[in-house]
Amino acid sequence: MNVGLYIHIPFCLQKCFYCDFPSYSGLEFLYADYIAALDREIADQGGLLSNDYVDSIFIGGGTPTILPAGSLTQIMDTVHKTFRVAANAEITVEANPGTMDHAKLLELRQCGINRISFGVQSFSNPILSAIGRIHTAEAAVESIAMAQACGFDNVNIDLMYGIPSQTVSDLQASLNTAYELKVQHLSVYGLKVESGTAFADWQNQGILRLPDEDEEETMYDQAVAENNRHGFLRYEVSNFAQPGYECRHNLKYWHFNPYIGFGSAAHSFVNGVRRANVTSVSEYVQRIRTGRTAVESVECSENETAMAEFSFLALRTVRGLSIAEFNRRFNNDFLARYTSVIEKLKKLGLIEFDGRFLRLTERGMKFGNQVFQEFIL
Amino acid sequence: MSTKNIRNFSIIAHIDHGKSTIADRLIEYTGALSAREMESQVLDQMELERERGITIKAQAVRLEYIAQDGEKYMINLIDTPGHVDFTYEVSRSLAACEGALLVVDAAQGIEAQTLANVYLALENNLEIIPVINKIDLPSADPEKVKHEIEDVIGLDASDAVLASAKTGIGIAEILEAIVKKVPHPQGSPDEPLSALIFDSHFDAYKGVIAYVRVMNGKIRPGMKLKMIATDKKFEVTEVGIFKPYLANIDELGTGQVGFVAGSIKNVKDVRVGDTITDAERPVNAPLPGYRKITPMVYCGLYPVDSADYDTLKDALEKLQLNDASLLFEPETSIALGFGFRCGFLGLLHMDVIQERLEREYNLSLITTAPSVIYRVYKTDGEVLEIDNPSKLPTPQEIDHIDEPYVKATVIVPNDYVGAVMELSQEKRGEFKDMKYLDTTRVMITYHLPLSEIIYDYFDRLKSSTRGYASLDYELIGYNTSSLVKLDILLNGDPVDALSVIVHRDKAAFRGRQLAEKLKGIIPKQMFEIPIQAAIGNKVIARETVRAMRKDVLAKCYGGDISRKRKLLEKQKEGKKRMKQVGNVEIPQEAFMAILKID
């Protein structure tokens, strides 16, 4: 079976105010050690998959493009030395507009990266500074255009809605800019205030001003409708793509397919086992350097848990949950197992069933958690 | 040992004035427990008691002490519950003693409950030894506290022991004072047996264990005994003392404090305050002061998951084994299904039972708002005792309703007199008396409906006096009031478990408050939920819980699926704790909302 690789780069110039991902600013002194450790972790684990192809690689963060020139080339070399990478593999790097230049883009192309995902969030300067982004809207436009000029023809833009001071027309303006840039993929996320972030602090102090629920819902509706109108078809709760440009790597998460994570806080899912590496960057480096495993937790899911995960992940996608696949994977009868849940959710107008796939309705997409919960014990 | 060398005493103190710490030091000092066995606050055995810093059940311990006169004394400490809910138990524990330590915080002075308990002790003719504790505090003012004791209680405080239980100062002096001042027990070993039951507990192997103080005669294994009030007879299998763990001895003699076991199965047969006598040679009259305890506060207890009904029933039965004052009987609610109407001595008792059910039996419960017992006089002459608002007859059938009243005593610094009076008036109180305890502290007496006390009087009193006020109350009888039933409708349907009985003049205001509060408690759901408060058919308040607009995890990648799953599990867990009434999911706390307004 083909697998995906996830490579985590836990560094940022500045932590965005909403971000609770395991990435840190001020760790420049660890860059070299970290790259060395990553290199070793990848090289050491190669043997696992001798008969399989890697058909997607995702270098995420953090801000992978923050690394000094040559770092990603080195990592990609090691990946190629270690794994059999399919010729048509999707290889994505996450990029921050504030950290890009022509030379770096060329390096990315030269080391085989063929998809680039820009964390832009908004094309409004006041909003960008209100959420702690280090770049301007102009810089973002310039970076994206530069990437395209360097040959990237599979480009994603991340946008957010429901962020401080944002209005429906702000979001519309950002979407319009994205359409004008002629990218292939859009991710549109609603802000969730996560604990431990600057936003959470401000919310506790009562000084975080977010759009109200009505406005947020309008933003959501608008993003879904506008994307569709511009040929970006929704294929997952928050993801839209021109046909054929769905992110193969992220689909692996939702389709219950295997992936191996490298780097601090990276997650793997192989043979039904979920593993997580240590979150602390220095501990990760230390462990790898001393020949120990970076894995901090291993979860061999019970069948029940696996069925729950399979279900709520599959239901996130527009394709929906394949009854046949569920039954085959778990040697079970989905429709019998969830008869009453399915009835209840149908009655609430949250799901529909075409005989082969169970999927969320438009309304169900909005209330996904209400559906997902029903498949959890 | 001769009764001349026996001393029985209690400790009277306000919460936090250091009763448990003093008890611990006394145990430590006399070596009843080795240092290794000492755990802080030995006598508060229940986990809950430790956490809350209060004593719920009485406990006892025997100390052996060689006094300065060279003689060995057997000193029994009977620890009393420190809360107004348990006044009767306190009075019985005191009746088992000849003396009491009055422990007063050197910085805080006397509080209302302390005062109430001192009066109980004086009624029982106890010798009171004032102890001024926490003298090591920078804000300690022992002289002022001495004056207060003298002015307020009329006790001579010139010999008061100055102590700091924390540092051990004064512990030896306390023991000497007990030996010298507390009278030894009277009574005769040759008289027919009479022993006062001051507490009991249920032991899975031994049955009910009665905690007793022998007044006359003695108890030995093999004797046939009788409990006078319940007329139950049993044969003694074991007698013993508290070290503080139970230790068997051959005989419990006159003046002594200890336990009696005799395969008694039902804790209700062993009532606090009852007298044990010799079945073959009984005393003519019981010891004075016995009364049957009746719960003052009632509420409904329902399992969130109706499948837990039997577990709840078992759990209540088990708790009742140790707590005869807990009453329960099955009841049915349209909204909540099958549950129990439970009677408690007071709010704390209710809280404690509820918490123990949830903690020790892992139950998720819905508690309905507490109610007092209303006496409903119907037009057809029938009189009903109503402890559940939803059982109130229709207004047409009611001639009038009486509700229980209490005499409430509040002690407060004089700056807050206005606040206390304002609050008490608002709570339909009738002013009775006001007395200066010293130049700065005042004792105010009001007659108040008990329902107002259990509603939020104490919380409001605390907040409007910055925590300085202390409160004590006792039931004085029933008075007629103009009362109506306030109903709550969710999504158009009345929810019986949310009904409350309120004073007519306050109904509209309470209705608005309650609707508003519920709006804050009931989470948004996929549809809009109207909340209405109504009296009879008249809707007096309306609020709306707006429909949830969206509920979906936006970001779900990076491969950390476990975390997402856990989020969903948590959300689902929260849902499980809610009660589905019709289409609406109602959180547990909604049923107590009436207590949480303001």
Side-chain angles (χ1 to χ4, degrees), chain A residues 20 94 161 189-190 194 213-214 216-217 220 238 250 253-254 259 267 274 299 305 309 312-313 316 350 363 365-370 372-373 376, chain B residues 524-527 546-569 571-573 575-576 580 585:
Chain A
D20 74 331
E94 284 190 318
Y161 66 92
Y189 299 110
E194 302 281 359
E213 288 177 319
D214 289 355
E216 205 213 340
E217 189 191 18
Y220 169 95
S238 311
N250 285 338
Y253 300 141
W254 305 314
Y259 49 89
H267 291 256
R274 298 196 182 279
E299 208 181 81
T305 309
E309 286 178 355
F312 85 73
L313 289 168
R316 292 188 66 86
L350 298 175
R363 184 173 158 76
M365 282 277 175
K366 240 182 221 182
F367 295 103
N369 287 4
Q370 300 281 326
F372 305 152
Q373 279 169 48
I376 279 178
Chain B
K524 288 183 178 174
Q525 294 168 35
M526 280 186 290
F527 48 89
R546 298 189 53 199
M548 174 200 298
R549 309 311 292 255
K550 239 165 93 273
D551 177 23
V552 63
L553 291 173
K555 229 168 178 167
C556 194
Y557 68 29
D560 186 358
I561 304 305
S562 310
R563 184 171 163 207
K564 304 296 173 190
R565 193 192 72 237
K566 280 169 193 152
L567 275 175
L568 291 169
E569 279 168 353
Q571 201 177 356
K572 177 145 188 168
E573 208 39 56
K575 232 179 182 177
K576 277 191 192 156
Q580 179 113 18
E585 280 161 346

Side-chain angles (χ1 to χ4, degrees), chain B residues 295-538:
Chain B
M296 300 229 270
V297 178
Y298 286 79
C299 75
L301 282 182
Y302 292 82
V304 172
D305 180 352
S306 48
D308 286 341
Y309 177 83
D310 288 330
T311 317
L312 174 57
K313 183 160 175 261
D314 287 352
L316 283 167
E317 279 166 0
K318 288 209 181 93
L319 289 182
Q320 204 182 37
L321 285 178
N322 254 328
D323 184 352
S325 54
L326 167 67
L327 289 190
F328 64 93
E329 56 183 43
E331 102 177 339
T332 317
S333 150
I334 300 164
L336 302 179
F338 294 104
F340 296 91
R341 175 90 351 201
C342 303
F344 305 96
L345 297 173
L347 276 188
L348 175 78
H349 187 213
M350 176 175 115
D351 244 29
V352 165
I353 295 288
Q354 190 198 343
E355 210 169 318
R356 290 189 62 190
L357 287 168
E358 300 205 323
R359 231 189 250 198
E360 294 168 25
Y361 298 91
N362 201 16
L363 284 161
S364 184
L365 294 176
I366 287 171
T367 313
T368 64
S371 168
V372 299
I373 298 191
Y374 295 95
R375 286 200 186 130
V376 180
Y377 294 79
K378 289 174 65 182
T379 48
D380 64 5
E382 197 187 347
V383 182
L384 301 175
E385 299 225 318
I386 296 289
D387 59 26
N388 178 347
S390 68
K391 301 268 161 65
L392 196 69
T394 61
Q396 296 76 25
E397 295 174 274
I398 298 173
D399 183 71
H400 68 278
I401 305 174
D402 284 4
E403 65 176 328
Y405 265 70
V406 297
K407 176 183 159 197
T409 307
V410 176
I411 294 181
V412 77
N414 54 1
D415 297 351
Y416 299 105
V417 168
V420 173
M421 294 180 74
E422 198 180 316
L423 172 67
S424 304
Q425 294 310 125
E426 185 200 317
K427 296 292 175 189
R428 303 190 278 134
E430 192 186 324
F431 175 78
K432 286 293 165 190
D433 189 27
M434 179 165 110
K435 232 179 14 211
Y436 269 83
L437 302 181
D438 55 37
T439 51
T440 57
R441 303 222 306 158
V442 182
M443 182 165 84
I444 308 166
T445 313
Y446 265 86
H447 285 183
L448 283 157
L450 175 61
S451 63
E452 298 287 356
I453 300 263
I454 66 168
Y455 174 49
D456 65 353
Y457 184 79
F458 189 56
D459 286 347
R460 297 266 312 272
L461 182 68
K462 281 284 180 195
S463 61
S464 61
T465 63
R466 298 179 175 215
Y468 280 117
S470 62
L471 167 73
D472 186 70
Y473 61 87
E474 57 180 315
L475 199 61
I476 50 168
Y478 273 72
N479 284 326
T480 302
S481 297
S482 177
L483 301 169
V484 293
K485 181 161 70 111
L486 177 67
D487 292 316
I488 296 292
L489 292 80
L490 293 181
N491 218 7
D493 300 322
V495 179
D496 59 357
L498 287 171
S499 293
V500 282
I501 292 173
V502 294
H503 193 268
R504 186 179 299 278
D505 297 347
K506 292 183 174 179
F509 180 62
R510 286 267 168 99
R512 277 197 302 277
Q513 279 184 313
L514 186 51
E516 222 171 275
K517 186 76 192 177
L518 286 170
K519 181 186 176 181
I521 292 176
I522 296 173
K524 288 183 178 174
Q525 294 168 35
M526 280 186 290
F527 48 89
E528 188 176 281
I529 304 163
I531 302 171
Q532 294 160 294
I535 297 167
N537 292 325
K538 195 171 155 221

Side-chain angles (χ1 to χ4, degrees), chain A residues 235-288:
Chain A
Y235 68 100
E236 191 264 354
V237 171
S238 311
N239 286 282
F240 305 82
Q242 298 197 358
Y245 286 94
E246 295 82 7
C247 176
R248 218 186 287 167
H249 184 83
N250 285 338
L251 277 169
K252 285 203 158 72
Y253 300 141
W254 305 314
H255 286 166
F256 221 61
N257 288 331
Y259 49 89
I260 308 174
F262 297 106
S264 61
H267 291 256
S268 305
F269 178 54
V270 180
N271 295 330
V273 179
R274 298 196 182 279
R275 290 187 174 78
N277 281 358
V278 286
T279 304
S280 156
V281 180
S282 52
E283 195 185 336
Y284 168 80
V285 169
Q286 193 60 29
R287 282 191 183 209
I288 298 292

Side-chain angles (χ1 to χ4, degrees), chain A residues 74-139:
Chain A
Q74 184 188 338
I75 295 299
M76 284 307 296
D77 282 350
T78 308
V79 167
H80 281 284
K81 271 184 218 148
T82 315
F83 295 97
R84 293 199 292 173
V85 179
N88 64 345
E90 172 196 274
I91 305 175
T92 306
V93 68
E94 284 190 318
N96 196 331
T99 60
M100 305 296 296
D101 59 37
H102 198 79
K104 230 175 230 180
L105 282 163
L106 284 178
E107 182 196 337
L108 299 178
R109 287 296 301 161
Q110 271 153 20
C111 67
I113 293 169
N114 52 26
R115 185 173 183 271
I116 188 162
S117 172
F118 283 96
V120 175
Q121 319 313 348
S122 169
F123 286 102
S124 150
N125 284 330
I127 291 176
L128 286 171
S129 58
I131 61 175
R133 301 292 300 177
I134 54 169
H135 57 85
T136 61
E138 293 74 21

Side-chain angles (χ1 to χ4, degrees), chain A residues 8-12 15 19-25 27 61-63 281:
Chain A
H8 190 62
I9 308 296
F11 307 116
C12 284
K15 191 90 179 148
C19 176
D20 74 331
F21 270 43
S23 79
Y24 312 91
S25 58
L27 295 188
T63 309
V281 180

Side-chain angles (χ1 to χ4, degrees), chain A residues 186-197:
Chain A
L186 285 174
S187 295
V188 187
Y189 299 110
L191 171 73
K192 183 166 177 289
V193 177
E194 302 281 359
S195 62
T197 62

